[in-house]
Amino acid sequence: MTSPNPPAAPAAKRSLRERVDLERIGLALAAPVLAVLLSLIIAGTLLAVSGRDPFDAFSIMWNYGTASDGQVATLNKAIVYYLAAAAAAFGFRMNLFNIGIEGQYKLAMLFAAYVGSQIDLPAFVQIPLLLVVAMCVGGLWASIAGLLKVYRGVSEVISTIMLNAIAVALIGVLLVPGVLAPKTSGTTNSIQTGKISESSRFFSFETQGGTLWGFLVIAVLVGVVFHFTLNRTRFGFDLRATGRSESAAGASGVNVKRMVITSIVVSGALAGLVGLPELMQNTPYFGQNVQSGLGFIGISVALLGRNTPIGIAFSALLFAFLDASGAQLPTRGDYPAEIIPVIQGTIVICVVVAYELVRRYGLKRQQQKVGAELAAQAAAAAQKEVAA
């Protein structure tokens, strides 16, 4: 008597094939790859028109980016970009456009630097304290936009842009000698907070290519929690449902107002972490060392990564590679450093176009599949009628 188990194997193979849809994966990868290729073509054309060799420029970038010191520099930059992109992506998944990451991380970095310079606890207490302070400041500042949207109908785009300007002005008011800066903090052109304590310094990894920031661990944890929260919790389901349709989510029992406020607060809390790698691993004070534009880079990285933790990781590495390797162009050849912002900007523009082209192609393919299935069903029904 034969066993009934062998015939079940093809079904298992079919189910595995159904779970791994290669065409769907290919379409998901097509848009960002197409955007990057188009941006490189545009940048290369600009270099060629200006009388420079684009292949030599790209060769300089590739050689530095693949060297050990270039890899460490790329990873350190990617940590910051990933955190900024995660903050933007969390809002995007809720259909909220948090443009205020810039102001949120600067304010959070300022208060974290002040607390770190005034308190000196053991490292296992001090480091979490600074993380909590930064996240609370970023979340509270972002909550203003959430409250305005929920109770006054103010667009979060307008309010967060205005809050960026207010944050910069507020930093100017607070970062003065005798308030958040020491009374003897130097000249008026270089006012800064006191240095954070040694217990506030985050650990790092010494590699052949230099010092790799230990904040990489925090970035990985943020990505894991991001993915788990969105895809494995009731809160994540409610967030995605509300982002797709507030009316439908409200009809199913979701408190839309609470979801809006919670989502933008979490986005602001993640933004509060953006400035900490620089503060706790490189420059131990807040002052002129603050890098501007990280919030807008985060938005670009999130768009290219399609607001998914894994996609954002690859996107952050790409942008970090361009910045780290592009800094070598003026020193190793007669190339303008401005070509890197051109590449990054064209990537953002091209990715929007590429996503739309891929979406239309995917929709056309889906319609063709449905049509083929309907035709096959009709043919089978006709054969049955003939046989009857």
Side-chain angles (χ1 to χ4, degrees):
M1 183 175 180
T2 58
S3 173
N5 292 332
K13 291 182 179 179
R14 286 196 300 270
S15 62
L16 179 62
R17 208 176 296 123
E18 290 173 358
R19 289 197 301 269
V20 182
D21 190 345
L22 296 179
E23 183 176 359
R24 184 177 179 181
I25 295 174
L27 288 175
L29 295 175
V33 171
L34 181 61
V36 172
L37 291 177
L38 287 175
S39 66
L40 291 177
I41 292 172
I42 293 173
T45 303
L46 291 175
L47 287 173
V49 169
S50 64
R52 298 175 174 89
D53 183 2
F55 296 102
D56 182 54
F58 295 149
S59 176
I60 292 173
M61 294 172 62
W62 177 258
N63 291 335
Y64 175 78
T66 54
S68 58
D69 54 343
Q71 292 171 356
V72 171
T74 298
L75 283 174
N76 288 340
K77 285 181 177 291
I79 292 168
V80 180
Y81 295 170
Y82 187 86
L83 293 172
F90 198 92
F92 288 158
R93 296 300 291 265
M94 176 64 189
N95 204 24
L96 292 173
F97 294 88
N98 182 10
I99 315 297
I101 297 172
E102 189 80 8
Q104 292 156 16
Y105 87 79
K106 287 182 178 178
L107 271 179
M109 187 178 179
L110 170 64
F111 280 93
Y114 177 75
V115 172
S117 66
Q118 299 298 312
I119 301 176
D120 188 8
L121 299 173
F124 69 90
V125 177
Q126 183 83 354
I127 291 175
L129 174 63
L130 296 190
L131 295 177
V132 171
V133 167
M135 294 181 72
C136 288
V137 172
L140 287 173
W141 192 250
S143 68
I144 299 173
L147 293 171
L148 288 173
K149 179 178 179 65
V150 167
Y151 294 106
R152 287 294 179 266
V154 179
S155 169
E156 74 278 4
V157 176
I158 303 300
S159 60
T160 50
I161 289 175
M162 295 298 101
L163 285 170
N164 279 341
I166 296 173
V168 172
L170 186 59
I171 290 172
V173 172
L174 296 176
L175 191 61
V176 294
V179 183
L180 295 186
K183 291 185 178 180
T184 57
S185 62
T187 64
T188 56
N189 293 327
S190 61
I191 297 176
Q192 61 197 34
T193 64
K195 290 186 177 181
I196 60 175
S197 61
E198 285 298 321
S199 61
S200 302
R201 303 300 294 267
F202 212 82
F203 69 89
S204 58
F205 305 100
E206 293 300 328
T207 68
Q208 184 179 1
T211 302
L212 177 62
W213 291 351
F215 227 84
L216 175 65
V217 176
I218 300 296
V220 172
L221 288 176
V222 167
V224 172
V225 174
F226 190 145
H227 175 79
F228 179 81
T229 301
L230 285 181
N231 299 287
R232 295 291 185 269
T233 65
R234 172 63 186 270
F235 172 78
F237 176 81
D238 291 344
L239 183 145
R240 288 181 284 115
T242 307
R244 289 178 179 269
S245 174
E246 291 187 4
S247 57
S252 64
V254 178
N255 189 328
V256 175
K257 290 185 177 181
R258 185 175 64 186
M259 289 300 302
V260 170
I261 295 175
T262 303
S263 299
I264 202 164
V265 167
V266 173
S267 177
L270 292 175
L273 297 174
V274 173
L276 294 190
E278 176 67 27
L279 174 67
M280 301 173 70
Q281 306 241 233
N282 190 28
T283 310
Y285 55 82
F286 180 94
Q288 294 181 342
N289 61 307
V290 180
Q291 181 181 352
S292 298
L294 292 177
F296 301 105
I297 291 177
I299 293 173
S300 302
V301 171
L303 288 174
L304 181 60
R306 303 199 71 173
N307 302 321
T308 63
I310 296 178
I312 291 173
F314 286 107
S315 180
L317 286 172
L318 173 62
F319 271 65
F321 170 82
L322 291 174
D323 278 338
S325 60
Q328 306 300 312
L329 290 179
T331 59
R332 300 191 182 187
D334 183 23
Y335 300 100
E338 291 76 14
I339 195 63
I340 301 304
V342 170
I343 296 176
Q344 293 174 339
T346 51
I347 286 176
V348 176
I349 295 174
C350 292
V351 78
V352 176
V353 178
Y355 279 146
E356 179 62 21
L357 292 175
V358 171
R359 187 191 69 82
R360 292 183 180 183
Y361 176 78
L363 182 60
K364 182 179 179 181
R365 286 286 299 159
Q366 187 177 9
Q367 291 173 345
Q368 290 175 348
K369 286 183 178 180
V370 172
E373 290 177 1
L374 292 175
Q377 292 175 2
Q383 290 177 357
K384 286 182 180 180
E385 291 180 359
V386 172

